[in-house]
Every structure is written in structure tokens, then in C-alpha cells.
Amino acid sequence: MVAASKMKKAQERMRAGRPYARRILSIAMHAARANAEYKHPLLTRRPEIRRVGAVVITTDKGLCGGLNTNLLRVMLNQHKEWIAKGIEVEYCAIGNKGFGFLNRMGGTIVSQVVNYGDRPALER
């Protein structure tokens, strides 16, 4: 029951953040379509993708039912797809479960953050 109440609170916080996420996406898309003189290297189309960076966000503990399992299954399928195409993959792991999984999988982890807790401080 404790995990269910924490999950409900997390879902409520997620729903409250949706308008902000939509606006951030809108601003990013607008910046990507702008005909500015300066083009950022991360916003330019490439003829061939050789390297990919992925951020894997999981929980620190396994009290969320199938959340981590489903998320890591999707991530693993995408990883296999990229490897089959000869694309190099690097990961940023946020959360103990994702970090442990990527370590066991042998993925290249360039950054990790664990033990954030329910209310991370801005400094972290």
C-alpha cells in the first residue's frame, strides 16, 4: 500500500508537470525549425547516424511493479536495434535499477545518478 500511495503521488506530480513539458517541447521544436544563421551541431540532420546517446530513467528501488521491467525491456530492444545497424550507443543512467541493468548488460555508461529520492534537491 505504501508503494501504491507513492506511485499515486508521483503520477499526480507528473500530470502537474505536463503543461511545462509540452511548452518545453514546443520551444525546442521551434528552435529546431528556425532559419537562424547559427546551426547547433545537435540540431543538424546527419546523412548517417553513427553514435547515439540515451538517457535511461528508472527508480532506485523495485517497488513499482512492472514499471522498471517494461521500461528496461523497451530500452533493451532499442539497444539491440541500434547495435544491429552498427550504431555506437552511450547511456546516462538515472536510478539504481537502470544503472545496475546497464552494468550487467555491458552498456557504455558515460554518466549516472543514483539515490535521488522522492524530492531531489536542486543542487543534485
Side-chain angles (χ1 to χ4, degrees):
M1 289 181 66
V2 172
S5 77
K6 280 189 173 187
M7 185 66 163
K8 184 175 182 186
K9 288 177 186 175
Q11 287 174 331
E12 289 170 3
R13 287 193 306 267
M14 179 203 60
R15 283 188 197 100
R18 281 186 179 159
Y20 299 100
R22 285 189 193 111
R23 187 65 180 151
I24 289 169
L25 180 61
S26 169
I27 290 169
M29 296 299 288
H30 179 74
R33 287 191 300 261
N35 291 326
E37 291 177 20
Y38 172 74
K39 292 285 187 184
H40 192 279
L42 294 177
L43 296 176
T44 58
R45 291 204 180 262
R46 307 206 186 263
E48 172 187 12
I49 299 173
R50 289 178 276 152
R51 269 175 72 189
V52 172
V55 179
V56 179
I57 303 173
T58 60
T59 64
D60 284 323
K61 298 178 184 168
L63 300 174
C64 297
L67 174 73
N68 291 325
T69 303
N70 292 329
L71 184 140
L72 293 172
R73 182 182 307 122
V74 169
M75 187 272 314
L76 183 60
N77 289 337
Q78 185 62 58
H79 176 83
K80 289 177 181 176
E81 200 174 297
W82 284 328
I83 296 300
K85 292 179 181 178
I87 298 172
E88 179 185 342
V89 187
E90 294 180 341
Y91 291 99
C92 171
I94 300 175
N96 273 332
K97 293 296 179 180
F99 178 61
F101 183 83
L102 288 168
N103 269 333
R104 288 188 302 278
M105 186 180 87
T108 304
I109 303 170
V110 294
S111 177
Q112 79 270 353
V113 179
V114 294
N115 298 320
Y116 250 147
D118 290 344
R119 292 186 175 85
L122 184 60
E123 298 84 39
R124 291 200 68 203

